[in-house]
Amino acid sequence: MTASERRPRLLYLAFYFPPSRASGVYRARATANHFAAAGWDVTVFAAPLGFLYDVIGSTDEKLLETVDPRIAVERPELDTFRWEHELQNMSWFRGTMPTASKKLFDWYEARQFPEQYVSWARSSVGKALKLHRRDKFDAVLATGNPFAAFAAGWAIGKLARIPYVIDYRDSWTLDLFKDEPAYPPKHPTWKWERRVIGGSAATVFVNNALRDWHAERYPGAADRMMVVPNGWDPDLLELPPAEPVETATPQGPLKFGYLGTITTHQPVEEMAEAFRIARAHPDLSGAELNIYGHLGFFKHSHASFLPRLGFDATGQVDPELDAGLRLRGPVSKTEVSSVYADSDVLVFLAAGGRYVTSGKIFEYMATGRPIVSVHAPDIAAREVLEGYPLWFRADSLDPEKVAQSFIEAGQAAREATADVRAAARRHADTFKRDTLLAPLEARMRTLVRPSTVQEQSS
């Protein structure tokens, strides 16, 4: 870079960013790191720490250490009115007139943007313009959810006269679990989506099914839509070297593993029942299904999941009803390698239908382990798993059929050849995160104005 050039400046709106442990944080972390490594001056706008620690109570400190130190992280303010329940922290008006104050708050919020994070978006616009006056940004990239980030990106792009790109790492107006629109036809969300997609320099989706759904609704912007799948992060996953078959073959009872957050939409009962049935097979005698991760996203949400998984309120199970499931608790993202190393088979438990691609599946494939699918048969993740030689799935969520997949995967864990294991890893290598993010970075570089080349300072 010559003396007359400067690094292009990117403003990245990513509400869920380390130390958050929300499911989308890994795409956000990888995106910011990728742009920084590619020569961009990156500023991230993220959620306030007080919200992450005090409201959600869901953080991973070690993940924060993996953010490129060249990245500047700002945390615009968020009005926590709807999450505040302590009387001593409330204003006089709210404390004495709670119903009126809530109606006023809801009215004011709704007239700006139909989402509860609009105050953060409003703060982001103000902070962005202030920073832009000091040192101009060249482009804005916004990832949702929350989708108020899209509105902020649109406003910043319009007011600062710079291009903005929106990244749908999640769906906004499509209900992924019902495969139908998430809002009635006249809901204001549709107006906002038309606005932000119509003005975006590019709109990014995680799979082809989602891109096609949106392209059909917004044909005028279809040529500016692209797919950037999720992937896996080599810097967060220490893979063991390929082992001789005799070393890699498990000798004792098989260990199945699920790693991730258990959510209300996942078919957890079907998984538990299928595994109970599979354990009756001689090849799975004594096998365990270890569940690593949180039960739900919030502090007290685990209680509702325990009975669905066959546990009592204390997390214990009746030995006579034991289906082989074991709760192992949360694991830091930086420590997941040891979980994979200790698992003979990985269980891909996912919610939703044909528009869903879970980020976890890429990491699963990178291990080269057998994978059992427990999800709807037409899930979008199929396009990622097709070609992975150690993938075992049923054509439905019938527990008897899923149990057969568990059995076949267990047999593969003991019998897969070195060539098959190597082929599995080669398939996974095509989904390394930096490889997948490269087209997005290249696309955004074409949007950068000549202002990145400055005249020699006198």
Side-chain angles (χ1 to χ4, degrees), residues 53-107:
Y53 288 106
D54 302 330
V55 176
I56 295 183
S58 174
T59 58
D60 185 343
E61 296 298 331
K62 291 187 178 180
L63 189 63
L64 185 60
E65 298 172 5
T66 69
V67 174
D68 191 310
R70 293 170 292 187
I71 296 170
V73 180
E74 302 279 349
R75 299 186 180 275
E77 293 182 358
L78 170 71
D79 189 335
T80 57
F81 179 99
R82 66 176 61 252
W83 297 283
E84 182 56 71
H85 304 294
E86 297 296 331
L87 184 61
Q88 64 267 27
N89 296 330
M90 296 180 184
S91 66
W92 174 87
F93 176 56
R94 184 182 180 187
T96 56
M97 304 181 69
T99 302
S101 63
K102 184 178 186 306
K103 286 183 177 179
L104 180 62
F105 177 82
D106 291 344
W107 171 83

Side-chain angles (χ1 to χ4, degrees), residues 130-206:
K130 181 178 180 181
L131 294 178
H132 184 68
R133 286 193 294 270
R134 186 185 310 161
D135 190 359
K136 293 186 181 300
F137 291 110
D138 297 294
V140 181
L141 174 60
T143 184
N145 65 47
F147 299 102
F150 289 0
W154 167 82
I156 295 166
K158 183 178 181 180
L159 295 171
R161 297 183 180 181
I162 56 177
Y164 70 92
V165 172
I166 54 176
D167 175 23
Y168 277 80
R169 71 167 196 280
D170 202 352
S171 176
W172 186 6
T173 55
L174 172 63
D175 187 326
L176 298 179
F177 305 108
K178 297 179 180 178
D179 287 0
E180 62 185 33
Y183 301 96
K186 294 185 179 181
H187 194 278
T189 297
W190 296 107
K191 179 180 179 180
W192 269 105
E193 185 170 63
R194 285 194 299 272
R195 178 180 291 162
V196 298
I197 288 181
S200 65
T203 302
V204 183
F205 301 95
V206 297

